Amino acid sequence: MHRLQSYLAGQWQTGQGDGTPLIDPSSGATLALAGALGLSRAAALEHARRVGGPALRAMTLRQRGAALKALSAAIHAQREPLIDLGVANAGNTRGDAKFDIDGATGTLAAYAALAAELPERGFLSDGPGQALGRSPRFWGQHVWVPRHGVAVHVNAFNFPAWGLCEKMACALLAGVPVLEKPGTPTALMAERIAHIIVDSGALPPGAFSFLCGEAGDLLDHLGPQDTVAFTGSSATAHVFRAHAAFARRGARLNVEADSLNAVVAGPDVASGSATFDLLVRDTAREVTQKAGQKCTATRRVCVPAALLPELAEALSAEIGNVKVGDPREDGVRMGPLTNPAQLQSVQEGIRRLAGAARVVRGGPEALRPRGCFVAATLLAAADAAAPVFHAEEVFGPVATLLPFDGSPATAARLVALGEGGLVASVYSDDKDFSIATALELAPWSGRLYLASERMAEHGTGAGTVLPQMVHGGPGRAGGGEELGGLRGLSLYMQRTAIQGFKSVVEGAFGAPAPASATAG
Ligand code: NAP
């Protein structure tokens, strides 16, 4: 049986013991084993700090950006075999796998493009400098410098490519070596990407490490200059938060966790209108893409009570057009869940929701005797505020329609019952409703997607995370923040205030004048 490898301390290594079987969720066949028993996490971290950190810090921001560009191209060149791995090991349709892989290479390329505009040095100035006393001689300037630790990236199983590359792009551009730990169930694609990265030679020695399998004692070896960016469930996030690495030793932790992402339909949206059709199309996609195993997938749809019957009918029909099955079969647009544990958890979740709602389409039954197939499921609540709709994320193709009175305040109250989310959407052509709802929702949401007829053909849908905009959310969503252009680098850098004689401080640490201003 093929055993996946880890790349630690500059060497490909294989763990001892049996390892975890990685399966094809369409057939149940075992594809490979992943395990990292007996591999030294401490030595890997030390190598990254001692070798990778100094090498990256010796590069300018633009040079690091050029490395990201080379990585993007190297991964893109292997797109077809990577898609095959997503189909086999994650139950992805080809479209789902492309979404993951193109998200990965697109984010690397976006950060490479951003870096091309940055100064030829290794740190960033933070805003303009300023006089600190009555004399302009005493000057202050904030700077961002790379931390001297390792960026440890612990990822969820659902985006083996994108999750790894979006975190890596920010850390490497900041000048910090990475140790990537993918979610084990879908590690086949992540391990292939790790080989591509190492083989590309784009990064200096020590800048990239890859731990394939269980985390083991990884966190025990982290210190005050290290950063962990974690993506996964709230339950695992609790374990991380309580760990001494963060609670006592001062390592930095960023958490991206669960989210019951909500859609709000405005009272102006009429059945058959362009905005209604957009709402139906977008919601069906955000429920079924990647079989709903997307952190940004739509879970709750707040709809004015009068519109609920028509929206239920239209959404049910749209979702019914999505053929479910083995992604290798013709016409299939939704594959299986990733493994039997996920299937069981989603079935239990649907049963819980169905205890308080009418099942409009789908249900908890497994669709096939073999494999991890469940129907895309739409429910309609009578009591929109019932806790079951807001308390627990069902990580599959499942959404509930929640009737409300059409006011921004009620919509916000319902959305807030989810205790903080990654993204919420508003569908309305009434500008005043959209703005009022956005302001109510903003404290509970990392991102807001305001959809209307006028941008229907131009938007990506709420489920697509863009490198220019921040990703993360308050409360249940973890309280973390990633991406957002240069904002994403700050997790891996120290902001330091530098005070002193103006010509020294401004000359060495101030933002260099743009090329056009110095050109003549
Ligand atoms: P998970 O079970 O929490 O695992 C996430 C990662 O943590 C995996 O790499 C896992 O490794 C590792 N892990 C688990 N227990 C650990 C421990 N005690 N110490 C160190 N590492 C540990 O989540 P998942 O099932 O992979 O992913 C699904 C969840 O992720 C969903 O709740 C989803 O909403 C969330 N998610 C959030 C975002 C976001 O951006 N907010 C994005 C994607 C997914 P193993 O796989 O080896 O166990």
Side-chain angles (χ1 to χ4, degrees):
M1 180 61 62
H2 176 50
R3 287 198 71 111
L4 300 186
Q5 292 180 299
S6 294
Y7 186 73
L8 302 173
Q11 303 282 336
W12 286 106
Q13 305 183 26
T14 308
Q16 301 154 6
D18 292 343
T20 303
L22 270 53
I23 65 157
D24 176 340
S26 297
S27 66
T30 301
L31 303 171
L33 297 170
L37 188 67
L39 305 185
S40 175
R41 281 78 168 157
L45 291 165
E46 193 42 38
H47 178 79
R49 280 185 208 107
R50 192 173 42 79
V51 179
L56 282 168
R57 293 196 294 275
M59 296 164 73
T60 66
L61 290 149
R62 283 195 207 172
Q63 288 169 332
R64 293 174 207 151
L68 298 184
K69 189 172 174 185
L71 292 180
S72 175
I75 296 168
H76 182 75
Q78 300 290 323
R79 189 173 184 248
E80 282 303 317
L82 288 171
I83 290 172
D84 291 343
L85 291 179
V87 171
N89 180 214
N92 289 168
T93 62
R94 281 182 61 81
D96 290 341
K98 284 181 199 165
F99 187 60
D100 187 14
I101 297 158
D102 295 348
T105 52
T107 305
L108 286 166
Y111 274 92
L114 204 58
E117 304 297 316
L118 296 175
E120 281 286 13
R121 61 185 187 190
F123 63 92
L124 290 163
S125 309
D126 179 37
Q130 57 189 304
L132 299 175
R134 259 183 294 172
S135 151
R137 283 177 173 223
F138 183 37
W139 194 254
Q141 172 72 51
H142 290 95
V143 291
W144 288 106
V145 295
R147 281 154 63 83
H148 283 200
V150 185
V152 173
H153 295 153
V154 180
N155 267 309
F157 72 81
N158 59 332
F159 279 106
W162 201 340
L164 186 155
C165 289
E166 70 181 5
K167 286 180 163 57
M168 186 174 76
C170 290
L172 291 176
L173 184 53
V176 178
V178 298
L179 186 150
E180 302 292 334
K181 189 220 140 351
T184 301
T186 58
L188 214 49
M189 192 199 285
E191 196 238 18
R192 188 65 233 137
I193 290 175
H195 277 280
I196 296 169
I197 290 169
V198 173
D199 292 349
S200 76
L203 295 174
F208 178 82
S209 308
F210 181 74
L211 178 66
C212 194
E214 68 286 357
D217 64 357
L218 181 63
L219 303 185
D220 296 344
H221 304 290
L222 299 181
Q225 288 282 312
D226 297 317
T227 303
V228 173
F230 166 80
T231 295
S233 62
S234 299
T236 311
H238 293 323
V239 176
F240 274 64
R241 284 199 181 93
H243 195 280
F246 315 105
R248 284 209 285 279
R249 295 198 297 277
R252 211 178 254 180
L253 176 65
N254 189 78
V255 171
E256 302 287 350
D258 306 356
S259 176
L260 287 110
N261 308 296
V263 166
V264 175
D268 60 294
V269 178
S271 173
S273 67
T275 305
F276 180 86
D277 292 345
L278 180 65
L279 167 68
V280 170
R281 271 200 317 275
D282 283 358
T283 306
R285 186 189 57 243
E286 296 305 334
V287 172
T288 56
Q289 190 175 41
K290 289 192 116 258
Q293 297 174 118
K294 241 175 28 171
C295 56
T296 52
T298 296
R299 311 286 178 207
R300 302 176 292 163
V301 183
C302 303
V303 50
L307 189 67
L308 193 146
E310 285 151 307
L311 184 60
E313 189 184 338
L315 250 183
S316 174
E318 186 80 12
I319 287 173
N321 288 333
V322 177
K323 184 175 168 195
V324 184
D326 183 330
R328 300 167 188 90
E329 293 167 14
D330 273 353
V332 163
R333 281 171 53 210
M334 189 177 101
L337 297 167
T338 300
N339 57 28
Q342 288 295 321
L343 174 64
Q344 190 186 343
S345 154
V346 169
Q347 289 177 305
E348 286 168 8
I350 296 174
R351 283 193 194 98
R352 263 197 320 275
L353 295 172
R358 174 171 64 88
V359 178
V360 178
R361 171 174 283 280
E365 296 75 29
L367 287 187
R368 294 185 177 188
R370 274 192 330 151
C372 305
F373 297 96
V374 70
T377 297
L378 183 67
L379 304 109
D383 175 8
V388 66
F389 305 121
H390 310 281
E392 226 171 295
E393 176 195 49
V394 179
F395 204 57
V398 187
T400 307
L401 298 168
L402 305 172
F404 80 113
D405 62 11
S407 77
T410 313
R413 262 202 303 282
L414 285 176
V415 174
L417 290 174
E419 298 184 341
L422 294 172
V423 59
S425 320
V426 182
Y427 285 75
S428 175
D429 294 309
D430 176 343
K431 178 161 80 52
D432 295 338
F433 176 85
S434 293
I435 294 169
T437 309
L439 285 172
E440 294 272 354
L441 295 180
W444 296 100
S445 312
R447 185 159 59 84
L448 292 174
Y449 187 82
L450 307 183
S452 64
E453 184 180 354
R454 299 187 71 178
M455 52 78 79
E457 302 306 319
H458 308 283
T460 53
T464 301
V465 171
L466 297 168
Q468 304 91 323
M469 306 303 283
V470 292
H471 175 63
R476 182 196 301 276
E481 193 176 281
E482 293 182 335
L483 301 172
L486 285 181
R487 296 172 188 87
L489 275 57
S490 61
L491 182 59
Y492 306 102
M493 302 182 103
Q494 177 63 40
R495 177 161 42 194
T496 302
I498 300 189
Q499 302 166 209
F501 180 47
K502 179 175 179 182
S503 77
V504 173
V505 173
E506 193 174 41
F509 302 108
S516 54
T518 52

